[in-house]
């Protein structure tokens, strides 16, 4: 925990000096909960805001699904209310069986958590302890590596290429004797880009002989079903390879607030990761909603279709205005910020629209989640005024 304390102390003094503000522990924790850019830090200090507060805002900052939970999930939660006094042992066992069947593996290949993020953290500890190194592309979803760093792990990053895609050959040549885990994300957050599945599977096939690969597939279901089959690394797990596949109910299923996700891996990897889970984190209601949602093709199709339509609106706008962006296959887009990020955040918020700013290669980048078509129209009109 030594590095955690020193990092926080360093942060406390440097940020307080810049912002001239009193930092409460809650505020510091909030700032450490994810990758926070300079613009976001400044913005939060200045306004003392919770960047995720609802308050009637158009929330395009957390890659949530505006259509969820599905009707089936809502009904399941209500029907399950009376089970709220019972621990969810049996319910979880039942759900694990359903997931195992869907993924074509035995139930000992499944581990579930309160969101896939919880399991990312467990894996970060499992492989990052004792100065372990975790290798990933960058920018990417950092929850695993951020958490692992608290336990003295080292995070080795390889920048994405100029199409904003993970550079798998550069990553392969970066592996060294200290590399304990490789984190990949396809399609990737925050860039939204998808790498050709043959490149990714070739990479996994080779490197997993030396180091386990953690394949985050949080946004897989935004691809058309045929493409999902090609892109997912689940077949490698079925073949007994050193690969962990991570999935969530937060995105296509629209259950982000209920907190439930899972990994699929060989039993030895499941054991190594799951030993760091704290207590019984998944609620009866999350399980009920997940059971009702799993494999709900109609709802997934609705989310996928509406998302693609709304994303096309944003993509058309970005193209017309000449922004630099990678092709998104997800429910968010990533592009260059045309004016300073802090101004974008605060002016957009004055128009009740929330979004993210990322730092990458000494530049600022916008990451905008895809809401409803109406929300995206509101977004492009507002953004146009703000950056004019
Ligand atoms: C790539 C990726 N993985 C995992 C997560 C964690 O999601 P959850 O903890 O809600 O399952 C997210 C959330 O945004 C994500 O973008």
């Amino acid at each position: 925990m030594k590095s955690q304390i020193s990092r926080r102390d360093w942060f406390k003094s440097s940020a307080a000096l810049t912002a001239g503000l009193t930092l409460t522990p809650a505020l510091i924790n909030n700032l450490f909960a994810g990758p926070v850019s300079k613009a976001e830090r400044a913005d939060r200090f200045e306004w003392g805001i919770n960047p995720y507060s609802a308050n009637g805002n158009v929330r395009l900052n957390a890659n949530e699904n505006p259509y969820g939970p599905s009707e089936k999930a809502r009904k399941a939660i209500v029907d399950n209310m009376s089970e709220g006094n019972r621990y969810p042992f049996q319910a979880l066992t039942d759900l694990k069986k359903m997931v195992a069947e869907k993924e074509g593996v035995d139930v000992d290949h499944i581990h579930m958590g309160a969101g896939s993020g919880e399991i990312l953290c467990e894996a970060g500890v499992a492989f990052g302890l004792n100065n372990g190194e975790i290798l990933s592309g960058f920018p990417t979803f950092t929850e695993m590596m951020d958490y692992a760093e608290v336990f003295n792990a080292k995070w080795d990053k390889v920048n994405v290429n100029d199409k904003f895609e993970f550079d798998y050959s550069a990553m392969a040549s970066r592996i060294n004797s200290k590399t304990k885990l490789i984190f990949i994300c396809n399609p990737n957050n925050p860039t939204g880009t998808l790498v050709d599945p043959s490149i990714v599977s070739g990479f996994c096939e080779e490197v997993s002989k030396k180091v386990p690969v953690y394949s985050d597939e949080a946004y897989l279901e935004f691809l058309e079903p045929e493409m999902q089959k090609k892109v997912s690394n689940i077949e490698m797990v079925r073949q007994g390879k050193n690969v962990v596949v991570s999935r969530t109910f937060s995105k296509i299923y629209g259950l982000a607030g209920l907190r439930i996700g899972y990994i699929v891996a060989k039993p030895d990897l499941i054991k190594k990761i799951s030993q760091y889970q704290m207590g019984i984190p998944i609620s009866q209601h999350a399980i009920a909603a997940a059971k009702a949602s799993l494999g709900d093709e109609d709802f997934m199709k609705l989310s996928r279709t509406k998302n693609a339509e709304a994303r096309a609106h944003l993509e058309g706008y970005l193209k017309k205005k000449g922004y630099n962006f990678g092709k998104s296959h997800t429910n968010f887009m990533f592009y260059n910020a045309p004016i300073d990020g802090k101004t974008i955040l605060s002016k957009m918020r004055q128009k009740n629209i929330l979004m993210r700013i990322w730092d990458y290669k000494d530049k600022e980048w916008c990451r905008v989640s895809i809401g409803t078509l109406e929300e995206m129209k509101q977004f492009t009109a507002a953004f146009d005024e703000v950056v004019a």
Side-chain angles (χ1 to χ4, degrees):
M1 300 299 271
K2 194 164 162 278
S3 78
Q4 181 190 12
I5 290 160
S6 59
R7 204 176 149 202
R8 274 168 201 257
D9 286 349
W10 163 81
F11 185 80
K12 212 170 168 176
S13 53
S14 62
L17 278 175
T18 347
L21 287 175
T22 312
L23 298 176
T24 64
L27 192 48
I28 292 169
N29 283 339
N30 186 352
L31 288 166
F32 271 85
V36 179
S37 63
K38 287 194 275 309
E40 288 172 334
R41 271 176 218 166
D43 188 54
R44 289 178 201 186
F45 280 118
E46 190 167 294
W47 295 81
I49 52 151
N50 167 3
Y52 295 99
S53 104
N55 288 343
N57 286 320
V58 174
R59 296 163 72 175
L60 306 180
N61 60 343
N63 301 345
E64 295 156 344
N65 179 342
Y67 312 105
S70 70
E71 283 309 318
K72 283 184 190 162
R74 287 168 203 235
K75 183 172 181 314
I77 296 165
V78 174
D79 290 351
N80 186 261
M81 208 52 88
S82 62
E83 288 293 300
N85 60 330
R86 302 290 174 197
Y87 287 109
F89 303 123
Q90 187 58 44
L92 187 57
T93 305
D94 295 345
L95 176 59
K96 276 187 182 174
K97 279 188 196 146
M98 288 171 67
V99 171
E101 196 169 318
K102 174 176 175 288
E103 304 297 358
V105 293
D106 289 337
V107 76
D108 59 358
H109 284 56
I110 307 295
H111 169 54
M112 305 209 62
S116 61
E118 190 213 342
I119 312 176
L120 285 167
C121 294
E122 293 166 14
V125 178
F127 291 93
L129 279 178
N130 303 320
N131 305 314
E133 284 190 18
I134 302 178
L135 173 67
S136 82
F138 189 78
T140 193
F141 188 68
T142 63
E143 190 165 4
M144 170 191 285
M145 288 69 80
D146 287 339
Y147 197 66
E149 281 185 332
V150 173
F151 295 88
N152 286 340
K154 192 177 159 228
W155 176 15
D156 196 11
K157 307 169 196 163
V158 174
N159 282 347
V160 295
N161 64 21
D162 55 9
K163 289 197 281 182
F164 301 97
E165 296 168 353
F166 263 40
D167 185 341
Y168 282 92
S169 61
M171 280 175 66
S173 53
R174 222 25 184 266
I175 298 170
N176 65 60
S177 60
K178 290 194 206 132
T179 312
K180 295 287 181 280
L181 187 68
I182 300 167
F183 175 82
I184 64 171
C185 193
N186 199 33
N188 182 42
N189 178 11
T191 57
T193 49
L194 179 76
V195 174
D196 187 308
S198 64
I199 295 178
V200 183
S201 59
F203 171 87
C204 292
E205 186 94 38
E206 262 325 291
V207 305
S208 68
K209 291 174 191 158
K210 294 178 265 181
V211 184
V213 179
Y214 198 103
S215 175
D216 189 325
E217 300 183 357
Y219 299 96
L220 181 82
E221 298 94 343
F222 283 101
L223 305 172
E224 290 301 326
E226 271 314 300
M227 196 59 181
Q228 289 178 33
K229 282 187 206 142
K230 290 186 190 147
V231 169
S232 175
N233 285 314
I234 197 79
E235 187 51 34
M236 304 230 182
V237 179
R238 294 189 197 120
Q239 291 167 3
K241 298 208 178 353
N242 247 345
V243 172
V244 179
V245 163
S246 171
R247 300 270 179 75
T248 181
F249 286 91
S250 298
K251 305 299 176 183
I252 199 83
Y253 292 121
L255 302 180
L258 284 153
R259 313 302 303 124
I260 185 157
Y262 62 91
I263 55 167
V264 191
K266 292 189 296 178
D268 61 321
L269 285 172
I270 292 285
K271 207 168 157 203
K272 181 169 170 117
I273 294 169
S274 65
Q275 66 182 320
Y276 293 102
Q277 184 161 59
M278 288 191 276
I280 310 162
I282 315 174
S283 75
Q284 285 277 13
H285 312 308
I287 295 169
K291 276 185 184 162
S293 300
L294 189 68
D296 180 348
E297 295 299 335
D298 291 344
F299 183 71
M300 283 196 274
K301 191 168 175 197
L302 174 127
S303 298
R304 196 182 298 125
T305 310
K306 285 190 174 287
N307 178 68
E309 190 188 11
R311 186 178 62 207
H313 171 79
L314 178 59
E315 191 178 320
Y317 168 81
L318 297 179
K319 247 185 215 155
K320 194 168 111 197
K321 298 286 173 174
Y323 284 99
N324 183 13
F325 62 94
K327 172 113 191 100
S328 171
H329 296 260
T330 59
N331 63 342
F332 50 89
M333 292 194 75
F334 186 79
Y335 59 94
N336 59 302
I339 60 170
D340 82 281
K342 181 168 166 281
T343 304
I344 293 179
L345 288 176
S346 63
K347 291 203 168 164
M348 288 299 282
R349 200 180 43 258
Q350 281 160 20
K351 295 173 180 291
N352 292 331
I353 298 176
L354 307 180
M355 56 178 286
R356 298 285 312 270
I357 294 288
W358 281 62
D359 293 327
Y360 171 56
K361 280 194 169 171
D362 293 329
K363 292 194 181 116
E364 294 186 302
W365 303 81
C366 300
R367 195 203 66 186
V368 179
S369 305
I370 307 298
T372 63
L373 180 57
E374 206 174 285
E375 286 173 334
M376 297 326 286
K377 286 183 179 165
Q378 202 180 325
F379 172 84
T380 49
F383 193 79
D384 222 34
E385 278 177 25
V386 162
V387 302

